[in-house]
Amino acid sequence: MTGAGKKAAPPRAVITNIQGFSIHDGPGIRTVVFFKGCPLACRWCANPECLSPEPQIGFIETLCTDCGECSQICAEGAIRGGKGVHRIDYSRCTSCGDCVDGCGYGALVRYGESMTVPDVWDIVRRDKMFYDSSGGGVTVSGGEPLLRAGFVRELFELCRQERIDTCIETCGLAARDALVEVIPVTDHFLFDLKLIDPKLHKTYTGQSSGIILENAAFLMERGVDIVFRQPLVPAITDTVENMEATAAFLKGSGKKDVSLELMPYHRMGRGKYRALDMRYLMDGTEAAGNERAEAVKKAYIDLGVRCTISR
Ligand code: SF4
Ligand code: SF4
């Protein structure tokens, strides 16, 4: 509880990256703010550094010269050095970042920094002229930004005051209160629909699709501007059953201008799995090529769904 006269601490969020000049995350040129922490753990996730809500240290083995400096610096004894056995013991690591600062070779990287709304605002506002000239704005992504709905609301209120367009990329697994909180300050939603079947969704993401589909229906009923997105993961999301179920769900909403954007699976996140000493579970799956993406797009159009491919 805050004492009389004391101001509540400003909300903070752990941010992994603030990326300017994006053209794939909503209309126009955008700055994308990546939040750390996600309620899902999709096997194909390309941003494994966004899964945990806490800052983490990654180790890029190919850049390491085995100089041993970091193991001297680490007060927790969390780094074991030496050729071929260089590892971070995450059970000891406090993510203080001292080793990152001490490594002269860029082999250690810090994923996530605790930031306030003004910290983020100071960065995203700098590109206002590009937003204005392109119809762009600010997109929050992750991870799952709706885990920090109060933060997003405050950030977007500032954007609104400066007439900056706002967009949320969400996995859809969020508390209803969080959605209600951000709707008044959000211009667009990019909403993931991965697998409709609840059991398959749980198998591949760790959670059922139930609440996600309810939230999707709720947003459509509220008449928000929404684009659904589906990762095109060969033999997982592009099955006939999932395409038919997705089409039925979207058409069943009664919303006329509903559209689906396919996000072809790629393997570019593999290096980050190695850096975080995490297992990459998709080694047997090839990236979704153009031909497959075009075939899936056509199948959706034949099912009566307006469909595009994200390039
Ligand atoms: S300080 Fe950097 S280069 Fe030296 S051993 Fe540690 S990670 Fe490798
Ligand atoms: S972040 Fe801090 S605790 Fe973790 S390995 Fe580096 S120096 Fe040690």
Side-chain angles (χ1 to χ4, degrees):
M1 202 171 104
T2 357
K6 274 194 185 169
K7 278 173 100 178
R12 302 187 78 91
V14 180
I15 305 296
T16 56
N17 191 14
I18 298 180
Q19 183 188 319
F21 297 96
S22 168
I23 51 165
H24 299 292
D25 302 283
I29 296 172
R30 310 193 73 85
T31 297
V32 186
V33 182
F34 290 89
F35 286 64
K36 207 161 172 347
C38 185
L40 301 184
C42 305
R43 287 197 194 173
W44 50 82
C45 180
N47 296 322
E49 76 281 16
C50 289
L51 296 177
S52 159
E54 305 297 334
Q56 287 170 289
I57 305 299
F59 168 56
I60 304 165
E61 197 165 356
T62 49
L63 296 180
C64 175
T65 63
D66 280 326
C67 71
E69 184 67 21
C70 54
S71 40
Q72 301 293 321
I73 290 170
C74 179
E76 306 299 328
I79 297 182
R80 286 184 287 133
K83 276 247 176 286
V85 293
H86 191 130
R87 286 282 178 276
I88 297 173
D89 179 348
Y90 288 103
S91 67
R92 291 184 169 203
C93 174
T94 60
S95 299
C96 68
D98 290 351
C99 57
V100 178
D101 299 336
C103 175
Y105 300 91
L108 290 158
V109 52
R110 187 180 165 94
Y111 294 119
E113 187 183 338
S114 174
M115 300 179 81
T116 63
V117 173
D119 293 336
V120 175
W121 173 240
D122 275 350
I123 296 171
V124 301
R125 70 196 298 203
R126 292 176 199 158
D127 285 343
K128 184 173 183 327
M129 62 182 285
F130 298 107
Y131 311 148
D132 289 347
S133 62
S134 68
V138 173
T139 297
V140 292
S141 182
E144 177 47 61
L146 290 175
L147 291 176
R148 311 290 304 156
F151 189 104
V152 171
R153 168 109 190 189
E154 281 193 26
L155 178 65
F156 280 6
E157 279 172 349
L158 292 170
C159 291
R160 280 283 170 98
Q161 284 166 23
E162 296 290 326
R163 298 180 192 280
I164 293 175
D165 186 87
T166 58
C167 178
I168 292 180
E169 264 187 325
T170 178
C171 74
L173 186 55
R176 184 61 56 85
D177 288 354
L179 283 180
V180 169
E181 186 167 8
V182 299
I183 285 174
V185 290
T186 304
D187 294 308
H188 321 280
F189 284 85
L190 301 175
F191 194 112
D192 278 7
L193 277 186
K194 298 175 169 90
L195 288 152
I196 302 298
D197 181 89
K199 284 191 186 146
L200 285 177
H201 200 283
K202 189 166 172 62
T203 299
Y204 288 106
T205 75
Q207 298 291 336
S208 166
S209 57
I211 293 172
I212 294 169
L213 298 181
E214 287 170 21
N215 281 337
F218 173 75
L219 286 174
M220 285 191 279
E221 279 162 22
R222 294 289 294 260
V224 305
D225 181 61
I226 188 165
V227 171
F228 290 97
R229 291 178 139 187
Q230 188 161 77
L232 197 182
V233 190
I236 298 178
T237 63
D238 67 348
T239 62
V240 172
E241 293 77 12
N242 193 48
M243 285 194 273
E244 287 180 352
T246 303
F249 175 76
L250 294 176
K251 289 196 296 181
S253 72
K255 193 170 157 58
K256 287 206 168 47
D257 55 350
V258 68
S259 62
L260 184 70
E261 187 177 11
L262 298 171
M263 313 285 291
Y265 161 72
H266 59 76
R267 298 160 66 84
M268 287 184 278
R270 285 174 79 202
K272 289 188 276 188
Y273 280 83
R274 275 195 298 275
L276 287 164
D277 210 11
M278 290 167 70
R279 211 171 134 219
Y280 189 64
L281 298 168
M282 298 291 288
D283 268 331
T285 304
E286 291 301 319
N290 272 345
E291 209 174 308
R292 184 61 192 149
E294 289 294 344
V296 172
K297 175 183 160 187
K298 181 177 180 310
Y300 269 120
I301 291 169
D302 290 346
L303 287 165
V305 174
R306 203 165 68 181
C307 186
T308 58
I309 303 168
S310 175
R311 304 284 184 189

